[in-house]
Amino acid sequence: QVQLQESGPGLVKPSETLSLTCAVSGYSISSAYYWGWLRQPPGKGLEWIGNIYHSGNTCYNPSLKSRVTISVDTSKNQFSLKLSSVTAADTAVYYCARHSRPAGYSSGWTVDYWGQGTLVTVSS
Amino acid sequence: DIQMTQSPSSLSASVGDRVTITCRASQGISNSLAWYQQKPGKAPKLLLYAASRLASGVPSRFSGSGSGTDCTLTISSLQPEDFATYYCQQYYSTLALTFGGGTKVEIK
């Protein structure tokens, strides 16, 4: 059974960099799939942040691209998110997730496995 | 970005009711659409993809239809465990995945 677990600080100061790590168990991220991040501000909807393939190929949401870096560590079977210059608007539950390309499709992904989510608050 | 608009934003229904939720895309997305269910404090769960294909383990009372700009999610007979928020997501765009604003299904 694939399991994902986010870890990282729950409180980040404005203008600093948010850093989270996602540990994957039950599946080798070197095998296949894209692995990425989504977020959900309290009481609001879902926003896709981006993803990465084990080769290091990344895809980022254009609205966040200038501030986002996603990296992968296959030796530890984990991947990470860095979001720079954060503001209060970045306060959200952050989810790490496995991205799956549906059969017969040449692009795009659905999200078939999710971490439990971790709340990150941006405040001084 | 492709904008996704769900309606209604919330609805009240009783156990056994038939419920339909609509998702409209700002441009054609073929059938590159998924639906998720999210319960309070939990991560979303994939229900359907390709507009109408059930994800593994999802009960058959859930169904989807549509293509182009308009898709629907139908729950044929609402069960107590179905009270949740539902989101649509397009994966047609290669630039970004985008979600609808959500539809909260509440107990009448």
Side-chain angles (χ1 to χ4, degrees), chain A residues 40 48 95 105 108-109 111 114-115, chain B residues 31-32 36 38 43-44 50 87 89:
Chain A
Q40 185 172 35
W48 179 73
Y95 294 100
Y105 289 81
W109 305 274
V111 182
W114 302 69
Chain B
N31 65 344
S32 299
Y36 299 83
Q38 186 178 33
Y87 293 94
Q89 174 235 317

Side-chain angles (χ1 to χ4, degrees), chain B residues 44-86:
Chain B
K45 172 188 173 183
L46 178 65
L47 295 178
L48 295 100
Y49 63 96
S52 63
R53 298 183 188 173
L54 285 178
S56 176
V58 175
S60 59
R61 64 180 179 273
F62 292 92
S63 64
S65 64
S67 182
T69 59
D70 295 314
C71 292
T72 60
L73 170 69
T74 299
I75 309 172
S76 60
S77 178
L78 199 64
Q79 298 301 299
E81 60 268 30
D82 300 337
F83 291 96
T85 300
Y86 293 84

Side-chain angles (χ1 to χ4, degrees), chain A:
Chain A
Q1 176 74 343
V2 180
Q3 293 186 312
L4 300 93
Q5 179 66 58
E6 306 89 350
S7 62
L11 181 63
V12 181
K13 290 182 168 55
S15 79
E16 295 190 344
T17 296
L18 178 159
S19 296
L20 296 173
T21 296
C22 181
V24 179
S25 58
Y27 192 88
S28 171
I29 62 175
S30 297
S31 295
Y33 297 100
Y34 280 74
W35 304 85
W37 297 90
L38 302 95
R39 69 181 183 178
Q40 185 172 35
K44 296 188 178 181
L46 295 159
E47 181 178 32
W48 179 73
I49 298 172
N51 64 24
I52 189 166
Y53 196 61
H54 64 79
S55 62
N57 186 43
T58 55
C59 187
Y60 297 141
N61 188 325
S63 68
L64 297 169
K65 188 173 184 177
S66 64
R67 299 194 290 131
V68 171
T69 302
I70 297 175
S71 58
V72 64
D73 186 338
T74 55
S75 67
K76 295 182 179 179
N77 214 41
Q78 65 185 34
F79 58 100
S80 299
L81 169 70
K82 291 188 185 299
L83 181 66
S84 64
S85 305
V86 297
T87 69
D90 294 310
T91 293
V93 174
Y94 284 76
Y95 294 100
C96 62
R98 190 177 84 169
H99 290 56
S100 178
R101 180 153 294 161
Y105 289 81
S106 59
S107 63
W109 305 274
T110 59
V111 182
D112 59 357
Y113 285 94
W114 302 69
Q116 66 183 22
T118 186
L119 175 63
V120 179
T121 302
V122 178
S123 175
S124 55

